[in-house]
Amino acid sequence: MLKHSLWNARTAGVFALALSAASFLSTGLANAGETLDKIKERGLIKVGVGTTPGFFSPDGDGKWQGFFVDFGRALSITVFNTPDKVEFTNSSPQQRLPALQAGEYDILLSGVTQTINRAFKLGFHFGPVVFYDGQGLLVRKDLGVTKGADLDGATIGVQSGTTGELNIADFFRKSGKTFTPITIEETAEFVKALDTGRVDALTQDATDLAGKRTQLKNPDDYVLLPERLSKEPLAPAVRAGDDQWLEIVNWTVYATIQAEEFGISSANVDQFLESKDPAIQRFLGTDPSLGEAIGLDPKFAYTIIKTVGNYGEIFQRHVGKGTPLNFDRGLNALWTNGGLLYSPPFR
Amino acid sequence: MFARAVSWIGPFPFRQAGLLLGVIAIFWFLGNNTLSTMERAGLTPGFSFLSQRANFEIGESVIAYAAGDSYGRAILAGIANTAKVAALGCLLATLLGVALGVARLSGNPLLSRLVQAYVEILRGTPLLLQLFLWSSLFQHFPAPRNASSLFESIFVSNRGVFVPSFGFDGLPATLWIPGFALVLLGGWTIARKMFFGTTQYGLKMTALLLALFVASILALKLTGFTPTTEIPAKGGFNIRGGLSLSPEFAALLIGLVVNASATIAEIVRSGIQSVRAGQWEAARALGMKPGQIMRLIVFPQALRVIMPLMTSSYLDLTKNSSLAVAIGFPDIVSVANTTANTTGQVLEAIALIMAVYLGINLAVSAFMNVYNRKIALKGALVR
């Protein structure tokens, strides 16, 4: 009995200590430059990712692969000059933002939609949009549906916990049409509902639907409608208040876009080292003045392109035509090709 | 006075007080932290969001709801859906469970073993898995376009079972459910009278209720409501019209009923076995038949053991209905989740869910306790 009470008292004491420690820790807000210092100290960048094949998924050896993952590797090159000093951790859509806020990650490359609410209210800043996504509709080909409006009266599967529930309701209300939602939390059940014909269509971010399409029994029987019901610009998210870290993220992404614009790829980057174009010389670091001026390794862009490739290569390798996801470049083409990708000048 | 206070606090007052302070500190810390986090996220704690517009749709609902109604109404629709599945579930699980429990004790070894296997399988596998199985089963019914139909008016498809509905202009078709129940009750009472010579509710009472029902229909017709019939038909993507039972609701209801019936069967079995063998022997000695012994001697005594356990089965069934969210039935958890996601008022949504389940369960438990007191042995038990 006595022992028991002592134990209680001790536990209470330990609890109180732990609580005060926790409250001290949680008060420290991110200051400028703090993130990079922490990363250098631990010798590792911590990146939160999701799990959609093509965008982020571990391969047979447990090594993370995918479109977003490659931007994490590029970031590791910018900071450490090697693609491997980065740790990817899977985080659910609900938990990723609080985890970033709590300092569990240095950056989220998990397909976070950039919104004003997240910037002002929730305390996040966003790097350049790396993927222009939107809510799509996945339907059976033999329904003969070509656009969302054709789905009047249809039953549509919605995965709970997403803004998709609101977008689809808005879409049908706007046009005065009706639909019946089946809101399913379980991902496997969500996909099965379309497979068995319980629902006529699934709605989600198009990137996600393209992944889900590959999980259906006969993927070729289904088509992702080209129409987008919403804008979902997916961008790297960091904690607000660390400008230096944000700029490192910005220019890492820009380097991949600028390289594609220059026509520099992993295959031909070495030939460009001989280029007489002063812009390319500064970009690849054969003229080291730019790198020295900004405090980054003058050859960071060269190493990124040589190791990971330019934006077009990253896109093509993981999600482009011929991959299971089979995405058109669409809005994700260079501005020179009618897309939205645009890098500010490297000078 | 002091001694009393000390005895109330316990043998180690200072440690106890320290622990109490610690607990208060934890809650104060958690509360404070929550409030400051909410403030940073721009959230106002409280339930004022309930009157804001909810811009999402709900698949099926007992009460009228459409996107653009308030969050409060959406939550209410979720509560109604949960109440519907819980009430029907408890009723059906009891009927099935009692039948199985009695069958488990049957002298026929095949029947008894089959029920045992049923009970073991259902109690030994996770409910969520069973729900997936039922959901998958219903989803594999034919698609609406090639749904099988009976007289072109009853359809069975993977969008649900559709039957014609009868009603009056401006009155919901669901009003017919109590009428239907009344007709069943009347039929049951008449059947009992004819075959067993006994009645449970009294022929007069049943006749009175039936007459009231017919009178109310006539009254409705005379006061200007026109009777309508709605026959379901294939149209567009779905089958429309009539009364329908959705696959999600059916899967959830059957999953819960089958699962709970296994537990209830065991409760009934143990209840019956708790009645001493002497009771059977005495009844047999009086020349009673097995059915009579069960109904008149054993079951009433077994009920005293059964009832408290049944209460917890009902509570389990009600709480288990929250798994609906996984298979797409819009219950309170599903609707509250969506509300939490769109408003950011997660704590309030969870508090609402807890309040709803607590409310339903306290009501069920209060009702069962009243019934339990009614059947309990009165006075001292003399052995």
Side-chain angles (χ1 to χ4, degrees):
Chain A
M1 186 65 206
L2 178 71
K3 238 180 184 173
H4 226 82
S5 311
L6 268 178
W7 187 83
N8 276 346
R10 240 178 239 161
T11 326
V14 169
F15 239 117
L17 263 179
L19 278 181
S20 39
S23 60
F24 274 118
L25 286 175
S26 61
T27 45
L29 264 174
N31 295 319
E34 195 195 64
T35 313
L36 188 63
D37 292 345
K38 253 199 290 186
I39 289 171
K40 290 224 160 123
E41 196 181 313
R42 85 166 92 86
L44 202 67
I45 306 173
K46 291 191 164 184
V47 178
V49 291
T51 41
T52 305
F55 288 96
F56 13 59
S57 65
D59 64 13
D61 304 325
K63 198 167 158 92
W64 283 85
Q65 302 293 353
F67 177 83
F68 281 100
V69 170
D70 275 357
F71 287 98
R73 300 239 154 85
L75 202 51
S76 166
I77 292 170
T78 310
V79 177
F80 293 113
N81 210 24
T82 155
D84 297 321
K85 293 204 168 179
V86 55
E87 181 188 85
F88 298 98
T89 315
N90 171 30
S91 188
S92 78
Q94 280 90 353
Q95 279 155 17
R96 57 190 181 175
L97 289 171
L100 174 65
Q101 193 60 277
E104 239 173 272
Y105 307 119
D106 302 311
I107 182 169
L108 282 180
L109 282 165
S110 60
V112 189
T113 302
Q114 179 171 11
T115 66
I116 186 170
N117 194 39
R118 285 172 174 160
F120 278 98
K121 274 188 165 181
L122 306 180
F124 300 104
H125 272 176
F126 290 89
V129 173
V130 292
F131 198 98
Y132 289 94
D133 202 1
Q135 188 169 340
L137 288 159
L138 183 64
V139 298
R140 269 192 86 88
K141 274 181 191 158
D142 60 15
L143 283 183
V145 170
T146 55
K147 55 186 192 301
D150 295 344
L151 285 167
D152 191 14
T155 308
I156 299 179
V158 189
Q159 195 155 15
S160 60
T162 63
T163 45
E165 277 185 82
L166 305 179
N167 293 333
I168 190 78
D170 279 358
F171 177 78
F172 279 92
R173 274 165 84 197
K174 196 166 60 185
S175 54
K177 298 187 159 71
T178 59
F179 78 109
T180 308
I182 303 291
T183 310
I184 305 174
E185 186 176 86
E186 257 280 322
T187 304
E189 290 292 301
F190 177 69
V191 175
K192 205 169 74 189
L194 183 63
D195 233 341
T196 57
R198 170 62 187 112
V199 297
D200 299 304
L202 295 181
T203 188
Q204 265 282 14
D205 285 2
T207 50
D208 195 53
L209 285 181
K212 298 237 156 60
R213 184 173 159 272
T214 63
Q215 296 164 18
L216 290 159
K217 264 186 220 117
N218 302 307
D220 293 336
D221 291 352
Y222 300 88
V223 59
L224 183 57
L225 297 184
E227 190 176 355
R228 295 290 173 264
L229 313 185
S230 68
K231 291 193 287 188
E232 311 284 344
L234 308 183
V238 296
R239 279 181 297 278
D242 191 339
D243 299 347
Q244 181 200 25
W245 178 234
L246 180 63
E247 288 304 334
I248 290 174
V249 173
N250 282 339
W251 291 93
T252 300
V253 175
Y254 288 143
T256 66
I257 297 172
Q258 184 61 58
E260 189 180 10
E261 203 180 316
F262 278 141
I264 306 175
S265 69
S266 57
N268 65 17
V269 64
D270 285 327
Q271 295 158 32
F272 274 91
L273 290 176
E274 317 295 324
S275 172
K276 297 282 172 285
D277 184 340
I280 291 179
Q281 287 176 354
R282 282 194 301 271
F283 180 66
L284 292 180
T286 41
D287 168 2
S289 59
L290 180 65
E292 281 159 9
I294 59 177
L296 290 177
D297 181 345
K299 301 210 79 145
F300 85 98
Y302 167 82
T303 317
I304 288 174
I305 308 311
K306 179 82 183 162
T307 318
V308 185
N310 66 32
Y311 183 95
E313 289 176 277
I314 297 172
F315 188 97
Q316 188 48 43
R317 184 160 61 232
H318 297 294
V319 299
K321 288 281 164 205
T323 67
L325 295 193
N326 210 20
F327 267 112
D328 271 330
R329 279 295 286 272
L331 292 177
N332 296 299
L334 291 180
W335 67 289
T336 47
N337 294 338
L340 293 174
L341 294 187
Y342 186 99
S343 165
F346 276 72
R347 68 158 51 251
Chain B
M1 185 65 203
F2 179 71
R4 242 179 90 189
V6 165
S7 77
W8 184 76
I9 290 172
F12 303 102
F14 291 109
R15 284 170 200 163
Q16 294 284 341
L19 192 64
L20 182 69
L21 281 179
V23 170
I24 293 174
I26 290 174
F27 276 97
W28 181 82
F29 171 78
L30 290 177
N32 213 26
N33 214 350
T34 307
L35 286 178
S36 66
T37 307
M38 285 180 85
E39 197 188 316
R40 201 171 57 208
L43 295 169
T44 327
F47 290 92
S48 57
F49 69 95
L50 285 177
S51 59
Q52 289 167 14
R53 280 159 161 246
N55 289 317
F56 57 88
E57 285 284 356
I58 296 179
E60 58 180 297
S61 166
V62 181
I63 62 166
Y65 168 85
D69 287 346
S70 68
Y71 281 111
R73 194 163 182 89
I75 298 263
L76 215 59
I79 294 174
N81 279 343
T82 290
K84 180 169 88 166
V85 83
L88 272 172
C90 289
L91 181 73
L92 296 178
T94 308
L95 297 178
L96 184 59
V98 170
L100 285 170
V102 174
R104 174 78 173 85
L105 291 170
S106 156
N108 180 340
L110 181 65
L111 181 61
S112 167
R113 288 292 157 190
L114 273 179
V115 174
Q116 188 184 9
Y118 174 95
V119 167
E120 294 306 328
I121 289 171
L122 284 162
R123 295 188 71 186
T125 52
L127 175 59
L128 187 60
L129 215 62
Q130 294 170 20
L131 287 180
F132 286 156
L133 184 81
W134 290 110
S135 151
S136 169
L137 187 77
F138 286 110
Q139 283 187 11
H140 281 90
F141 279 3
R145 282 173 190 200
N146 29 26
S148 33
S149 73
L150 204 63
F151 310 122
E152 284 299 311
S153 55
I154 296 174
F155 292 88
V156 177
S157 78
N158 65 2
R159 300 294 161 88
V161 177
F162 293 78
V163 296
S165 67
F166 310 96
F168 286 94
D169 263 354
L171 286 178
T174 38
L175 276 187
W176 284 88
I177 291 172
F180 185 64
L182 262 177
V183 170
L184 275 186
L185 183 68
W188 173 241
T189 309
I190 292 166
R192 277 183 74 116
K193 178 77 189 162
M194 281 170 70
F195 293 109
F196 306 109
T198 56
T199 58
Q200 203 171 353
Y201 309 103
L203 262 185
K204 278 182 196 159
M205 190 57 156
T206 313
L208 185 71
L209 284 173
L210 275 175
L212 253 174
F213 183 60
V214 173
S216 57
I217 292 173
L218 284 176
L220 275 173
K221 207 171 167 182
L222 288 176
T223 48
F225 284 102
T226 25
T228 53
T229 315
E230 210 179 60
I231 300 196
K234 295 177 189 181
F237 292 96
N238 290 323
I239 297 166
R240 293 166 198 217
L243 280 178
S244 63
L245 179 70
S246 80
E248 288 77 29
F249 177 71
L252 182 65
L253 181 64
I254 293 182
L256 290 174
V257 164
V258 167
N259 185 271
S261 73
T263 315
I264 293 177
E266 283 295 273
I267 293 172
V268 170
R269 179 184 63 83
S270 63
I272 291 174
Q273 283 179 335
S274 75
V275 178
R276 292 173 177 204
Q279 298 286 318
W280 286 92
E281 287 156 7
R284 264 199 294 273
L286 290 172
M288 293 174 91
K289 294 189 195 105
Q292 273 182 317
I293 301 176
M294 180 64 91
R295 209 173 64 239
L296 300 173
I297 307 290
V298 177
F299 208 68
Q301 297 186 69
L303 263 186
R304 298 191 185 111
V305 176
I306 292 173
M307 280 333 279
L309 295 169
M310 287 294 260
T311 310
S312 62
S313 280
Y314 291 161
L315 301 189
D316 278 347
L317 188 145
T318 307
K319 286 182 286 183
N320 285 343
S321 73
S322 62
L323 291 174
V325 69
I327 57 166
F329 180 70
D331 74 331
I332 172 68
V333 177
S334 169
V335 176
N337 271 351
T338 302
T339 303
N341 261 311
T342 57
T343 58
Q345 311 278 3
V346 182
L347 278 179
E348 289 86 344
I350 292 174
L352 273 174
I353 298 177
M354 286 170 68
V356 166
Y357 282 107
L358 196 63
I360 294 181
N361 278 346
L362 286 178
V364 169
S365 149
F367 173 77
M368 293 297 284
N369 282 341
V370 167
Y371 184 67
N372 196 29
R373 267 198 296 281
K374 225 182 109 187
I375 59 163
L377 267 184
K378 307 292 189 297
L381 184 64
V382 183
R383 284 195 189 272

